[in-house]
Amino acid sequence: MPTFSSPNRIVWEYFISLRLLTQNAKQAPSAELARQAAALAVVTAVTVSEVFLNLWFRVRVEDRGDPEERKSLLKDLNSRASIQRKLERWPSRYLSAPLDLEAGAGGEFTKLKLLRNSIVHFTSSHESVEFAGITIHGLADTSDYDSLCADHAMWALQTAENLVAEVFRLAGYNEKEIPHALHVWAGRPPAV
């Protein structure tokens, strides 16, 4: 039997996981452990952002009650549209305001997504290396992964939170409402 939950609970829990990864990276006893936690934070930040988009836009479209919008959104969700497609189309389609993917929160998220892609989809070369009588063909460029540190984890968390805040802005939330919406959806308490 399926379990049903409030959509923001799922996003909240993913953000908690992201904050824990960020904390682990910051408190890691070695650069290697910091890098590993940072890599997971980068991947998780992109994931939590997509989960937010899926669930928040679903709630938004359902609340508006437009059958054509609902049909369009469900089609994208059921076809597992890429996060890039969602970022490019959903704000314009469902909020009547495009998300700038070149600058600001959208531009930073684009950089985060590129970093995530570089540590998940390593580029391979046709080079070979030989040592102790063993030859390895087709090396992978792990430079981006190897350079990760706690600062990357913190940046990934901030970038995901900033993307969520930008979606709220595009939806017409005023600046006083955004900290409370971030608390409800991302678990970030408003500053006192």
Side-chain angles (χ1 to χ4, degrees):
M1 174 163 268
T3 302
F4 296 96
S5 296
S6 169
N8 64 316
R9 183 187 133 236
I10 303 303
V11 177
W12 179 298
E13 288 189 12
Y14 275 135
F15 265 107
I16 288 171
S17 297
L18 178 54
R19 284 188 188 87
L20 289 172
L21 289 168
T22 300
Q23 193 66 28
N24 289 345
K26 287 170 31 179
Q27 295 176 345
S30 69
E32 179 182 38
L33 292 173
R35 179 178 60 248
Q36 292 168 7
L40 291 173
V42 167
V43 171
T44 302
V46 174
T47 300
V48 72
S49 299
E50 185 168 17
V51 170
F52 165 77
L53 292 171
N54 292 343
L55 294 173
W56 187 85
F57 274 97
R58 178 71 192 266
V59 169
R60 173 83 175 191
V61 166
E62 291 292 340
D63 285 348
R64 288 169 55 136
D66 181 322
E68 288 303 313
E69 282 188 353
R70 184 177 190 275
K71 181 180 176 183
S72 173
L73 182 73
L74 288 176
K75 181 180 177 189
D76 279 350
L77 289 171
N78 290 332
S79 71
R80 302 187 194 278
S82 71
I83 189 171
Q84 186 65 30
R85 179 178 170 152
K86 294 168 189 175
L87 293 168
E88 290 170 352
R89 296 183 180 184
W90 288 6
S92 295
R93 183 179 293 161
Y94 305 116
L95 305 177
S96 301
L99 174 65
D100 185 351
L101 295 171
E102 301 293 322
E108 281 300 295
F109 187 78
T110 297
K111 292 176 193 171
L112 176 64
K113 200 164 61 68
L114 289 171
L115 176 58
R116 190 281 310 251
N117 290 347
S118 76
I119 66 171
V120 171
H121 307 288
F122 295 99
T123 53
S124 296
S125 71
H126 296 288
E127 297 175 38
S128 298
V129 66
E130 187 174 328
F131 58 95
I134 298 172
T135 303
I136 299 174
H137 301 284
L139 301 174
D141 179 358
T142 61
S143 302
D144 288 340
Y145 175 80
D146 293 333
S147 70
L148 292 174
C149 64
D151 289 344
H152 291 96
M154 293 177 349
W155 171 71
L157 171 61
Q158 291 168 347
T159 300
E161 289 177 339
N162 290 343
L163 179 72
V164 170
E166 186 62 19
V167 169
F168 293 147
R169 279 186 196 90
L170 296 175
Y173 290 46
N174 68 46
E175 290 303 315
K176 287 185 177 183
E177 295 171 316
I178 291 173
H180 300 289
L182 278 168
H183 185 233
V184 168
W185 279 91
R188 186 174 91 183
V192 178

